Amino acid sequence: MTELLSGTAKAAPSTRQSPPQGLHRRKKPFKGAAVNFLYLPAVILMAAFTVYPLIAGIGISFTNWNGYSAARDIVGIENYLRLVEDEIFRTALLNTFIYGVGSTVIQQILGLAIAVALDRKMRGRSAARAIIYLPVLVSPVIMGTMYYLLFQYNNGAFNDIVVGLGGERVAWLSDANTSIFIIVAVNSLQFVGISMIIYLAGLQSIPGMYYEASTLDGATKAQQFMHITVPLLQPAFATSIVLNLIGGLKLFDVIQVMTGGGPGYATQSVSTLIGKTYFDNQSAGYSAAMGVVLFLIIVVFTLILNTLLNRRRLEA
């Protein structure tokens, strides 16, 4: 007992025998293979529903397939040359940039402002966050229908207000410029909750000691925001901008419900024009070429943004 308390007792010889080294060598490859099986379903789904359609679409873009018959001929880059001369496609491409960039800018400004306001301790902030995020869960078709009913010429709520104030009814969705602005606003308001959540997560990851130290140095709230909050939110900026830009460039549902791409082709995006070209004009090859161009635009925009934002984050 004395030897045990003083720690001088000799350790009893261990009865466990270490496994043969060959056994360890046999188990390691098995463990690695088991881990690989965990992500195999995701790889299969990605290949089936993303990679294969992409490759098939690229192949179809070099044909004159109408989308329904079994006959198709290879036409080379004819569809891509046709895109360059297509005035409707150029209009849709310009609108796509307006939808993507406009929605992204509005969502960043509103999302950051709302996140800063709701990051403070105040009564009802959880309910306010839920209400602002709620439209994200609503289908864009339903959202577009709701706003169409508000902006429609007859029996629209906004026109009823205008008439009630003594004015004349306004054809909100019959003018190209007004329609594009309304579509950008509707898309921005629906998905501003995503930016809010991303910026809230970024704000709550900033240590409070930075603000306390700057307060002791006499920094104002505006100086704290510009020199502490904004630089430390660079990762949140990168994530929010890229996600919102991709969503804006692919905008389809709201346009289809509110204007159908009209008047004429004035509010078409590349996404809505792809559907119209495929189903109405029965030109699957040409619409596939549009889809490939849209895919390349999104890839290039994403790469440029990621490069610029990562460089800025390293400099901050």
Side-chain angles (χ1 to χ4, degrees):
M1 177 63 71
T2 305
E3 291 177 345
L4 286 174
L5 294 175
S6 61
T8 57
K10 295 180 180 179
S14 174
T15 56
R16 296 180 60 186
Q17 295 181 354
S18 58
Q21 294 183 353
L23 184 58
H24 286 299
R25 291 174 183 171
R26 286 195 297 272
K27 282 185 175 179
K28 284 181 180 178
F30 175 75
K31 287 181 179 178
V35 170
N36 291 337
F37 280 116
L38 296 178
Y39 58 76
L40 188 59
V43 172
I44 294 174
L45 291 174
M46 180 71 75
F49 295 103
T50 302
V51 177
Y52 173 73
L54 175 62
I55 296 173
I58 293 173
I60 292 171
S61 70
F62 293 104
T63 69
N64 62 354
W65 188 39
N66 63 8
Y68 298 98
S69 68
R72 66 179 77 175
D73 295 320
I74 296 176
V75 295
I77 61 172
E78 181 180 318
N79 288 327
Y80 292 94
L81 295 176
R82 185 179 162 193
L83 285 177
V84 178
E85 301 173 351
D86 191 341
E87 187 177 348
I88 296 174
F89 177 74
R90 289 202 296 270
T91 302
L93 192 60
L94 176 62
N95 291 340
T96 300
F97 286 127
I98 294 174
Y99 295 141
V101 176
S103 299
T104 302
V105 171
I106 294 175
Q107 286 169 6
Q108 304 322 301
I109 296 172
L110 288 181
L112 181 59
I114 295 170
V116 171
L118 296 181
D119 191 42
R120 303 171 183 172
K121 292 182 180 178
M122 55 184 288
R123 182 177 296 178
R125 69 173 182 176
S126 297
R129 292 174 183 176
I131 291 171
I132 293 170
Y133 188 78
L134 195 59
V136 177
L137 306 178
V138 177
S139 167
V141 174
I142 296 174
M143 198 73 176
T145 304
M146 290 169 54
Y147 278 97
Y148 171 77
L149 295 176
L150 292 175
F151 283 103
Q152 66 179 342
Y153 187 78
N154 293 317
N155 302 320
F158 289 112
N159 271 337
D160 288 346
I161 294 173
V162 172
V163 172
L165 294 174
E168 296 183 355
R169 294 183 181 277
V170 180
W172 303 99
L173 301 177
S174 296
D175 180 78
N177 295 327
T178 310
S179 301
I180 290 174
F181 176 78
I182 291 173
I183 289 170
V184 170
V186 170
N187 183 57
S188 303
L189 292 176
Q190 179 175 11
F191 294 104
V192 72
I194 294 177
S195 298
M196 179 196 69
I197 291 296
I198 293 172
Y199 288 130
L200 271 175
L203 289 171
Q204 292 173 5
S205 67
I206 299 175
M209 61 181 180
Y210 295 154
Y211 295 103
E212 294 170 0
S214 62
T215 302
L216 292 176
D217 290 338
T220 63
K221 292 292 183 183
Q223 290 173 327
Q224 289 179 342
F225 180 78
M226 293 302 300
H227 299 290
I228 297 176
T229 305
V230 171
L232 294 180
L233 278 181
Q234 294 296 332
F237 279 124
T239 303
S240 181
I241 289 174
V242 170
L243 287 179
N244 290 324
L245 184 63
I246 292 174
L249 291 175
K250 295 192 304 180
L251 192 60
F252 176 85
D253 315 67
V254 173
I255 304 170
Q256 197 65 31
V257 172
M258 294 191 71
T259 65
Y265 289 89
T267 60
Q268 292 277 6
S269 68
V270 175
S271 294
T272 57
L273 189 60
I274 288 172
K276 189 174 184 60
T277 304
Y278 189 108
F279 295 105
D280 293 358
N281 301 342
Q282 299 184 4
S283 181
Y286 190 45
S287 64
M290 294 181 188
V292 172
V293 171
L294 179 62
F295 169 75
L296 292 176
I297 290 172
I298 292 175
V299 169
V300 170
F301 262 78
T302 304
L303 290 176
I304 293 174
L305 273 176
N306 273 329
T307 304
L308 293 176
L309 293 172
N310 286 333
R311 185 181 302 169
R312 188 174 177 80
R313 184 170 55 182
L314 291 174
E315 292 173 354

